[in-house]
Amino acid sequence: MAKDFTPKYTVPGIEREAAGRLIDVLRLRLHALNDLHLTLKHIHWNVVGPHFIAVHQMIDPQVDRVRDMADDVAERIAALGGVAQGTPGSLVKERTWDDYSIGREDAIAHLGALDVVYTGVLEDLRAAVKTVGEIDPATEDLLIEQLRDLEQFQWFVRAHLENAGGNLATASATTEEGAAKAAKG
């Protein structure tokens, strides 16, 4: 049985039931962003090798922006009359993906795995944009802005994984481990 997220009140111009559907979509986006923030920090702390400093410094602005995105989503949930569940327990209980699987590893391996992570986040976000776009342009706009930023972050990652011929080392990888291995060559 699906949980009902219909709030007791919501923003003017949106029906309460529609707000409940928005809250349901946004709660998974909040979990994804909180998880992505922690994954990026994990990479930041565990990256090694000759590209260490470049990746270490590239990741920090992504961490900061993803935290801001999570805050924006949580505040939108609250504005819609919902409860923004930001606890680790709710994230782990409700997420549809596994923990990041790479530990201490070189920069290229982490970037390969991160490419797969970003692909999953972006695919889910595009589906969310489509769903909320049928209900509320303000929520859709919020998610589209985040989509642009996250696509740019994946582009930064992929720039390290692409050769001069335009071939992406992780193009056929579907798992973090597989992408990490493919990235290392």
Side-chain angles (χ1 to χ4, degrees), residues 20 41 44-47 54 63 67 89 98 107-108 113-114 116 135 146 148 169 173 181:
K41 284 311 285 186
H44 175 86
W45 296 322
N46 289 291
V47 66
V63 168
R67 286 302 313 138
D98 294 325
I108 298 302
L114 184 55
V116 171
I135 304 169
Q146 294 179 356
R148 282 192 301 268
K181 185 176 179 180

Side-chain angles (χ1 to χ4, degrees), residues 109-124:
H110 272 297
L111 292 175
L114 184 55
D115 181 39
V116 171
V117 170
Y118 272 128
T119 294
V121 169
L122 288 165
E123 287 173 348
D124 288 349

Side-chain angles (χ1 to χ4, degrees), residues 149-180:
D149 287 348
L150 292 169
E151 285 177 344
Q152 183 181 47
F153 295 161
Q154 186 179 39
W155 173 55
F156 292 167
V157 167
R158 285 181 165 183
H160 295 270
L161 304 171
E162 183 181 358
N163 66 24
N167 296 312
L168 187 63
T170 55
S172 62
T174 58
T175 66
E176 292 162 7
E177 293 89 356

